[in-house]
Amino acid sequence: MKVHVHLAYGYDPAVWGRKFDDGSLIGINERDPYGYRHAAPMVAVMTSSKDHAEGRLGRLIRLGARAILGFDLVHAWRNRAAICAADVVWTHTESQHLAISQMFKVKRLNQEARPKLLAQSVWLMDRWDRLSKVRRAYYRRLLRHADVLTFHSRENLTMARTRLPDAQSEHVLFGINASDKVAPVRDDAAGSKLIIAVGNDVHRDWSTLIKAVARHPDWRLRIVSTTCSKSLAAGVANVEIAGVGDNAGLRSLYRQSAIAIVPLLPNAHASGITALQEAALNGVATIATDVGGLRDYFDDTEVTYVESGSVTALETAIERLLANPALRYDRAVAAQARMGIEGLSSYAFAKRHVEISRRVLGGR
């Protein structure tokens, strides 16, 4: 089985590897983007998309086409030889698989002449109802070129099966590098009251979190984000919003923290799952908003879930965990036990792609 992994421009394994080596990738990562290379020993050949050199004009054309179409057709076109040489193509988001489907149409490749396509979507179903009728019809036609639609969340999967009932669709749990774990530490209620919240996703509900913490001057909240507006914490002395310079700084914050929180706005694509898994690997008990299908990954013995948009519910959950070190420890241990090659991990994520691909290819 020949597999081609087509990722977004900027995720060329050579470029990503250099960033990994120099420590500029913040968070838990690995030398290969998203860990798809774990599947290399399971298949005959694996190739990856390349970032072709582009000048100002080339970049302008690529980004302009992406803005108009909603996907990066130019990047897919530049990688067409490697794509068409594969038995099956894996994509990470709709920007890649819609582009490949359009490339198939431009080249007039029928089903027998093209590789199989595993079309993974992240935001498409969330945004579907906000798309124009014309764009929905266009994307629906492109989605017919996908052999399997995959989603990280059962909520997204349900949406897809309702909107695209003729398409084959699968649930694929996303996972990160789970090779390194920091064992949870028992502490006491008089210990750290530092709360950490990490993330840059547009679905973070920073406002609700800050309001909950602002009522308790003895709590300290450190938001690690480059997208959260500092104006949200204006006049709130116990909230700090800033990025971190390196992974050592991020690990240090996790070690100092009693709780990690993933506050979320309503969504259906498991927003925040990377942050939840990172907290689990760092041995920190977590609170998360109960949206997006996160219970597919962690149940309520592993993560404390709270109602969306409720300052009171979040405040109560924080108070409960800060006052109960045994509960914090038990939740952290249980969540971390979910992480590993047989549970949640980039290895399991890659292996699932192999399993689906073999089925689509008839066992090859």
Side-chain angles (χ1 to χ4, degrees), residues 185-238:
V185 176
R186 293 183 183 273
D187 57 10
D188 56 59
S192 171
K193 291 191 177 181
L194 177 64
I195 300 160
I196 187 173
V198 180
N200 293 312
D201 192 287
V202 296
H203 286 96
R204 288 296 193 276
D205 185 5
W206 298 124
S207 178
T208 295
L209 174 58
I210 291 169
K211 288 176 183 176
V213 172
R215 298 176 178 179
H216 298 264
D218 57 325
W219 298 353
R220 292 185 299 126
L221 170 62
R222 176 66 155 85
I223 294 176
V224 181
S225 176
T226 56
T227 60
C228 177
S229 173
K230 293 186 178 182
S231 65
L232 291 174
V236 185
N238 60 336

Side-chain angles (χ1 to χ4, degrees), residues 26 32 38 50 92 138 153 156 174 181 190 208 211 255 265 302 324 350 363:
I26 303 300
D32 173 69
H38 287 299
K50 305 297 181 187
H92 198 70
Y138 175 40
S153 159
N156 256 344
F174 178 70
K181 298 179 181 181
T208 295
K211 288 176 183 176
R255 284 195 298 271
L265 298 169
E302 299 155 344
N324 193 333

Side-chain angles (χ1 to χ4, degrees), residues 54-258:
E54 57 184 10
R56 285 188 177 182
L57 180 59
R59 179 176 173 79
L60 180 63
I61 292 171
R62 182 175 63 81
L63 295 181
R66 190 180 72 178
I68 294 167
L69 297 171
F71 52 80
D72 198 342
L73 177 60
V74 174
H75 180 48
W77 185 257
R78 291 170 179 170
N79 284 275
R80 65 191 181 278
I83 291 170
C84 292
D87 295 318
V88 60
V89 179
W90 300 349
T91 62
H92 198 70
T93 76
E94 51 270 30
S95 181
Q96 292 93 60
H97 70 70
L98 291 172
I100 290 174
S101 292
Q102 181 60 66
M103 186 267 287
F104 288 161
K105 287 178 68 67
V106 172
K107 289 178 67 66
R108 297 184 179 181
L109 298 177
N110 60 31
Q111 191 168 7
E112 291 70 32
R114 64 168 179 78
K116 302 296 185 183
L117 177 59
L118 268 60
Q120 185 164 269
S121 295
V122 177
W123 303 281
L124 183 59
M125 290 297 108
D126 284 71
R127 296 170 177 168
W128 189 262
D129 290 338
R130 298 195 300 275
L131 299 175
S132 69
K133 290 183 179 180
V134 172
R135 191 171 291 270
R136 280 202 303 268
Y138 175 40
Y139 285 0
R140 196 185 299 272
R141 288 179 65 85
L142 291 179
L143 288 165
R144 292 174 187 164
H145 289 271
D147 295 276
V148 181
L149 308 179
T150 66
F151 302 93
H152 297 160
S153 159
R154 289 189 191 276
E155 292 186 17
N156 256 344
L157 181 66
T158 299
M159 288 179 174
R161 287 179 173 173
T162 299
R163 293 162 175 166
L164 306 162
D166 296 330
Q168 184 177 346
S169 53
E170 296 278 352
H171 183 216
V172 176
L173 292 175
F174 178 70
I176 65 174
N177 181 5
S179 59
D180 293 323
K181 298 179 181 181
V182 178
V185 176
R186 293 183 183 273
D187 57 10
D188 56 59
S192 171
K193 291 191 177 181
L194 177 64
I195 300 160
I196 187 173
V198 180
N200 293 312
D201 192 287
V202 296
H203 286 96
R204 288 296 193 276
D205 185 5
W206 298 124
S207 178
T208 295
L209 174 58
I210 291 169
K211 288 176 183 176
V213 172
R215 298 176 178 179
H216 298 264
D218 57 325
W219 298 353
R220 292 185 299 126
L221 170 62
R222 176 66 155 85
I223 294 176
V224 181
S225 176
T226 56
T227 60
C228 177
S229 173
K230 293 186 178 182
S231 65
L232 291 174
V236 185
N238 60 336
V239 176
E240 179 185 2
I241 302 171
V244 290
D246 52 35
N247 280 313
L250 182 57
R251 287 193 296 269
S252 177
L253 284 172
Y254 272 118
R255 284 195 298 271
Q256 298 171 53
S257 298

